[in-house]
Amino acid sequence: MHKKALVRDLLKEKQTELTAAERKLSAVLLDDSLLTGLQSINRLAECAEVSSPTIIRLARKLGFDGFSDMQDAIREEIGARMKQPLAKLDAVAPSDSRDHIVSRFIEAVSDNINRTLDRLDLAEFNQVAELLSDPAHRLYLLGGRITRSNAHYFFNHLQIIRPQVTLLDSSPSVWPQSLLDMDAGAVLVIFDIRRYEKELEKLANLAVKQGASIVLFTDAWGSPIEKHARFCFRSMVEVPSSWDSTLAINFLIEALVAEVQSRSSDQSAERIAALEQMIGESRIFRGN
């Protein structure tokens, strides 16, 4: 049995080995963020329109002893995803008072970045960099309650490098105006980590219906928006705190900024020069 691998990842990794019925069951589990898997085996079979033996075979193909074993893993995975901040804080309370928080943070963040890089698909990274560097694509960015700062940071850099970049307002009431301009040439960059925000998923769904492509930055468990996304970057976020860390996400952002600027060097050089001239003329900063 797999002790560390996430059920979501196992389902995706094993797709080529599954029968048609098992793929159908897998799709039902993934579409509902595994929640369907918490039902009884008979109820799950009914929902997925497959047989009970199909469910047992799928569980064993994923490396579990049977359905109940897989269900335990699903329950643990969902529990980790939905963990309350205070419960999370209690779980990481240090047993040794000499173990300083800075040391533990350095270790956790370094591990998060390394594990994120281990899972990074470089070909996908290059495709996203190419997409974001093409001025023919209008870019929109939005983050959730915790990741809004990541979206803003990415926006600040991209708008200097290239034109047609918009940071969406956090209020859903003004999203329809932006959706009007989203088409097959638009790219919506969304940041969504646990707890996943329903409004962001609604926006992603509407954007895809308009023809836009979604680039998603999420955590190890995967936001429900993943089913709408053309590209998805999963990052490790757990640290010894009541809050998740987005430093691994920011690592990917900064790497993408560097690559997008490299691919748009002539255009970005002109924009940066024009920006510097405007800053000088406006005398916003000291020394101008």
Side-chain angles (χ1 to χ4, degrees), residues 79-89 92 105 108-109 112 145-147 149-150 192-196 218-222 235-249:
R81 188 192 310 162
M82 299 303 178
K83 210 180 287 181
Q84 291 283 356
L86 287 179
K88 184 168 175 252
L89 181 60
V92 298
F105 245 85
V109 169
N112 282 347
R145 185 172 62 93
I146 300 299
T147 53
S149 60
N150 300 97
D192 188 34
I193 64 175
R194 63 182 186 183
R195 297 181 156 188
Y196 312 114
T218 186
D219 54 29
W221 299 274
S235 299
M236 303 303 167
V237 299
E238 288 201 295
V239 288
S241 166
S242 58
W243 308 104
D244 286 328
S245 167
T246 62
L247 284 172
I249 292 176

Side-chain angles (χ1 to χ4, degrees), residues 15 17-24 54 57 61:
Q15 284 296 308
E17 302 174 26
L18 304 182
T19 65
E22 290 164 353
R23 285 197 298 273
K24 187 176 182 180
T54 295
R57 283 196 300 270
K61 281 188 178 180

Side-chain angles (χ1 to χ4, degrees), residues 171-236:
S171 174
S173 64
V174 299
W175 292 348
Q177 294 95 303
S178 297
L179 283 164
L180 282 175
D181 296 325
M182 292 188 193
D183 52 23
V187 178
L188 175 59
V189 181
I190 296 185
F191 297 82
D192 188 34
I193 64 175
R194 63 182 186 183
R195 297 181 156 188
Y196 312 114
E197 300 184 34
K198 292 181 179 179
E199 297 301 325
L200 291 181
E201 185 181 2
K202 290 179 184 177
L203 174 65
N205 183 35
L206 291 170
V208 169
K209 288 181 178 179
Q210 289 289 99
S213 296
I214 303 291
V215 176
L216 171 67
F217 289 83
T218 186
D219 54 29
W221 299 274
S223 161
I225 295 172
E226 195 168 332
K227 64 189 173 190
H228 303 294
R230 179 178 171 188
F231 300 103
C232 177
F233 295 111
R234 285 196 188 186
S235 299
M236 303 303 167

Side-chain angles (χ1 to χ4, degrees), residues 51-94:
S51 67
S52 297
T54 295
I55 297 174
I56 295 170
R57 283 196 300 270
L58 176 64
R60 288 175 177 167
K61 281 188 178 180
L62 298 183
F64 298 101
D65 295 334
F67 174 64
S68 61
D69 194 22
M70 181 176 76
Q71 195 171 58
D72 287 342
I74 289 174
R75 190 175 291 109
E76 183 179 345
E77 187 171 327
I78 291 175
R81 188 192 310 162
M82 299 303 178
K83 210 180 287 181
Q84 291 283 356
L86 287 179
K88 184 168 175 252
L89 181 60
D90 291 341
V92 298

Side-chain angles (χ1 to χ4, degrees), residues 1-6 10 63-64 69 73 76:
M1 171 185 162
H2 292 268
K3 296 294 185 182
K4 295 182 179 179
L6 297 172
L10 291 171
F64 298 101
D69 194 22
E76 183 179 345

Side-chain angles (χ1 to χ4, degrees), residues 122-134 154 157-158 161 251-265 268:
L122 294 180
E124 183 174 34
F125 179 94
N126 291 338
Q127 285 179 284
V128 172
E130 180 63 29
L131 189 68
L132 299 184
S133 64
D134 186 349
F154 204 6
H157 287 78
L158 288 175
I161 296 170
F251 178 91
L252 293 178
I253 290 172
E254 294 197 359
L256 274 169
V257 166
E259 182 61 17
V260 169
Q261 182 162 4
S262 174
R263 292 170 183 255
S264 314
S265 56
S268 64

